[in-house]
Amino acid sequence: EPEVTQTPSHQVTQMGQEVILRCVPISNHLYFYWYRQILGQKVEFLVSFYNNEISEKSEIFDDQFSVERPDGSNFTLKIRSTKLEDSAMYFCASTLSGSYEQYFGPGTRLTVT
Amino acid sequence: DQQVKQNSPSLSVQEGRISILNCDYTNSMFDYFLWYKKYPAEGPTFLISISSIKDKNEDGRFTVFLNKSAKHLSLHIVPSQPGDSAVYFCAASAPLNSGYALNFGKGTSLLVTP
């Protein structure tokens, strides 16, 4: 069964450094999403992406964040200058058409020290 | 802001019995509700959904009930099985979410004991 994959599974970075989290959505999917979950908190929406542009973003998704679909298979989330509070599990999701029934990847645990 | 609340962090149920997971919401604009299930080291997996025009949706052992006046929904699992042990997230969306953003609760950890 096709699935969303994410790399790396765990990323440790120093405060102020740039990180890129990578996702490979399900191959024929056209809508892509990023969410994050800070430890002990709820899963929070960050951004949705369709047709090479952002469809919607939350107030968390400020100028420090950006997304890109650099080729036909990858979908990336970049954090320009990481802060301690960016430490969280980051989930990528995808859907064939715009849908709330989203397919999630296993997540990347980002630890900012 | 906690627009979707799951007030029970955990629930333990015996195999074969009914599991009832509850969820409350505050935003009256929400019109579509979903339950996701999450195992450790995996991402959330869609389980079942319900539109605000309905009050019940059933899929096999899983039934979701929606009480709009109380802004409350619940997930019933009958009969519960040990493989149902997971964290269950309630999620909601509003029609203005043009990007299909989901608002999640904090989750309820269900343990089904043999």
Side-chain angles (χ1 to χ4, degrees):
Chain A
E1 186 176 321
E3 56 185 22
V4 177
T5 59
Q6 291 185 242
T7 54
S9 56
H10 189 191
Q11 172 96 45
V12 182
T13 189
Q14 284 193 319
M15 193 168 56
Q17 295 296 302
E18 174 184 288
V19 292
I20 297 176
L21 309 182
R22 291 185 165 77
C23 168
V24 179
I26 293 172
S27 64
N28 60 341
H29 283 190
L30 300 174
Y31 290 73
F32 314 110
Y33 315 83
W34 282 102
Y35 292 81
R36 78 173 186 190
Q37 184 180 25
I38 296 170
L39 190 63
Q41 303 296 314
K42 63 177 182 172
V43 176
E44 301 172 288
F45 170 77
L46 293 178
V47 66
S48 56
F49 190 86
Y50 168 70
N51 200 25
N52 277 323
E53 56 183 37
I54 290 173
S55 308
E56 185 177 355
K57 61 182 181 179
S58 71
E59 53 194 38
I60 301 169
F61 194 88
D62 60 22
D63 292 345
Q64 291 300 310
F65 291 87
S66 62
V67 288
E68 193 179 31
R69 185 144 163 87
D71 52 45
S73 57
N74 290 282
F75 179 52
T76 61
L77 174 70
K78 183 195 288 188
I79 308 175
R80 247 177 284 281
S81 176
T82 50
K83 303 181 234 189
L84 294 176
E85 53 265 37
D86 293 327
S87 294
M89 182 72 86
Y90 288 80
F91 293 105
C92 172
S94 71
T95 53
L96 175 59
S97 58
S99 171
Y100 297 107
E101 293 150 14
Q102 298 165 11
Y103 293 82
F104 282 79
T108 291
R109 178 166 298 286
L110 176 65
T111 303
V112 182
T113 60
Chain B
D1 66 330
Q2 284 250 47
Q3 297 189 69
V4 178
K5 300 178 190 177
Q6 294 177 256
N7 292 320
S8 297
S10 62
L11 176 68
S12 183
V13 170
Q14 272 193 321
E15 182 178 6
R17 308 291 284 262
I18 184 171
S19 295
I20 300 176
L21 295 98
N22 293 303
C23 177
D24 297 296
Y25 62 95
T26 57
N27 188 342
S28 57
M29 295 298 291
F30 287 150
D31 68 346
Y32 197 70
F33 305 89
L34 307 94
W35 285 94
Y36 278 79
K37 174 179 175 179
K38 185 182 180 304
Y39 293 116
E42 294 183 13
T45 302
F46 167 71
L47 191 58
I48 192 169
S49 61
I50 187 167
S51 163
S52 60
I53 62 172
K54 295 186 174 182
D55 54 19
K56 177 182 172 181
N57 188 26
E58 196 170 346
D59 183 2
R61 297 186 297 114
F62 303 91
T63 303
V64 55
F65 295 91
L66 176 63
N67 182 334
K68 279 185 67 179
S69 60
K71 293 194 179 73
H72 177 84
L73 63 153
S74 60
L75 174 68
H76 292 209
I77 307 173
V78 183
S80 302
Q81 298 172 354
D84 296 329
S85 297
V87 177
Y88 289 78
F89 292 101
C90 173
S93 67
L96 294 178
N97 292 147
S98 59
Y100 300 92
L102 289 168
N103 294 273
F104 282 91
K106 281 189 175 184
T108 296
S109 179
L110 173 66
L111 177 64
V112 180
T113 56

